[in-house]
Amino acid sequence: MTTDPLDALRLPVVPVDPRPEFTAALLRRIDGHGDLVDDEPITFRYFVTDLDAAVAFYRDLLGFEEELRPSPVFAMLYRGDLRLLLSVPGGHGAGDALPDGSVPTPGGWNRIALRIGDLDRTVAELRGKGVRFRTDITTGITVRQVLLHDPAGNLVELFEPGGGYHERTRGGTIG
Amino acid sequence: MSTVTVRYFVTDLDVAVAFYRDLLGFEEELRPSPVFAMLYRGDLRLLLSVPGGQGGGAPMPDGELPAPGGWNRIALQVDDLPATVDELRGKGARFRNDITTGIGVRQILIQDPSGNVTELFEPLAAYHERSSNAR
């Protein structure tokens, strides 16, 4: 073993703040999924029967903004970083029948869950505007939540965080 | 980016977590009970609930139980759809259709072990997304 003569000139290793969130985000990024695209809006698609009624519902009652409505069978809305695609079954594109002949329909149980500051007030307000709810407010695990119907029968979950609520904290530096 | 939350119903939690983690790049964040898991993929938070469990899987007031399936779904953007599909097929993933060309995208539907679909899409010319500085 030879000693590197430059060792004497090297600066001492200075301990730095580990910034765990930054490190975790960096490691996640290095760790794989390089083919998956980050920094994009989160996209969710609902099927609806009446596009005008659906756009009005998500825009006027749930705070989405209409971004595009290029055809009578498709609309794109935004609510912060959530991009909502509304497709009419049987239309071109995502509304098309599958190879096995099945045609998409509204409904089912999979859904977006929107975080609300004051669930009681929001529910009272939405009830006043004629929104149909599938449940009353229930207390789940660390959240209070409620399920409402859109005009096509899709479910949307509204929730208000309670004690023990968990959400991954983001450093804000990456991602 | 702020967190966006989506809930899917699944019949077998272990199998579902493995699917979203190993095939679609989600990370397991929490699995506090046998009927609930929380996963992340970037700023998308995916809640997996087993029907009949407490909380999100609880029966409705009229007794109806949530179930997997339906057509509403997450859509995940990928860079190279054919390559991703090949890779996923090699890992045994089931697709509901072949790659189709839609409006501004090409896309495909992957099916999870409980029967839920997730859309994978690759932007094409005329693809529209609100630019980030407009947000």
Side-chain angles (χ1 to χ4, degrees), chain B residues 38-51:
Chain B
M38 180 189 294
L39 288 77
Y40 272 82
R41 185 181 186 275
D43 291 306
L44 169 57
R45 180 167 72 147
L46 177 61
L47 309 181
L48 298 178
S49 289
V50 176

Side-chain angles (χ1 to χ4, degrees), chain A:
Chain A
M1 293 289 288
T2 54
T3 307
D4 186 338
L6 293 177
D7 272 353
L9 299 176
R10 290 220 168 95
L11 292 171
V13 174
V14 180
V16 293
D17 175 7
R19 303 177 68 194
E21 285 164 11
F22 179 90
T23 309
L26 190 61
L27 284 176
R28 279 200 295 275
R29 179 158 292 198
I30 293 169
D31 201 28
H33 318 312
D35 56 323
L36 301 172
V37 179
D38 253 348
D39 303 329
E40 302 294 342
I42 309 297
T43 306
F44 197 85
R45 189 187 300 274
Y46 273 172
F47 286 90
V48 300
T49 40
D50 181 328
L51 191 64
D52 288 337
V55 168
F57 176 85
Y58 286 99
R59 183 191 58 212
D60 301 339
L61 299 177
L62 296 183
F64 285 79
E65 295 154 33
E66 189 178 335
E67 174 78 6
L68 270 189
R69 195 165 3 167
S71 90
V73 296
F74 177 73
M76 180 188 295
L77 290 79
Y78 272 81
R79 186 179 188 273
D81 293 312
L82 167 58
R83 180 168 70 149
L84 181 64
L85 308 181
L86 300 177
S87 290
V88 176
H92 178 69
D96 272 341
L98 296 196
D100 64 8
S102 54
V103 177
T105 54
W109 296 88
N110 296 344
R111 64 223 185 198
I112 51 175
L114 304 177
R115 182 174 173 166
I116 300 293
D118 183 337
L119 192 60
D120 295 300
R121 201 189 61 199
T122 302
V123 168
E125 207 177 290
L126 291 174
R127 278 194 204 281
K129 292 177 178 171
V131 172
R132 290 178 306 144
F133 284 83
R134 187 72 175 81
T135 62
D136 286 321
I137 293 176
T138 58
T139 300
I141 304 158
T142 77
V143 294
R144 301 168 69 228
Q145 58 204 11
V146 74
L147 279 181
L148 57 86
H149 277 298
D150 79 2
N154 298 299
L155 292 173
V156 174
E157 185 173 327
L158 305 180
F159 70 94
E160 179 188 325
Y165 175 73
H166 177 86
E167 195 172 289
R168 179 183 279 185
T169 51
R170 303 280 292 178
T173 318
I174 282 193

Side-chain angles (χ1 to χ4, degrees), chain B residues 60-82:
Chain B
M60 298 291 102
D62 61 9
E64 192 180 358
L65 271 183
W71 295 88
N72 297 337
R73 66 228 186 193
I74 305 163
L76 302 177
Q77 182 173 338
V78 300
D79 286 332
D80 183 339
L81 190 59

Side-chain angles (χ1 to χ4, degrees), chain B residues 53-113:
Chain B
Q54 196 198 343
M60 298 291 102
D62 61 9
E64 192 180 358
L65 271 183
W71 295 88
N72 297 337
R73 66 228 186 193
I74 305 163
L76 302 177
Q77 182 173 338
V78 300
D79 286 332
D80 183 339
L81 190 59
T84 302
V85 169
D86 279 350
E87 197 183 309
L88 290 170
R89 279 194 205 281
K91 292 178 179 171
R94 288 181 305 153
F95 290 86
R96 282 299 302 271
N97 57 356
D98 286 317
I99 294 174
T100 58
T101 300
I103 304 155
V105 293
R106 50 184 179 170
Q107 59 203 15
I108 197 166
L109 287 179
I110 187 171
Q111 189 160 6
D112 82 3

Side-chain angles (χ1 to χ4, degrees), chain B residues 10-40:
Chain B
V10 299
T11 42
D12 184 324
L13 192 64
D14 288 337
V15 168
V17 168
F19 174 86
Y20 287 98
R21 184 190 58 210
D22 301 339
L23 296 182
L24 294 184
F26 284 80
E27 294 149 32
E28 189 179 335
E29 175 79 4
L30 272 188
R31 197 171 353 171
S33 88
V35 297
F36 177 73
M38 180 189 294
L39 288 77
Y40 272 82

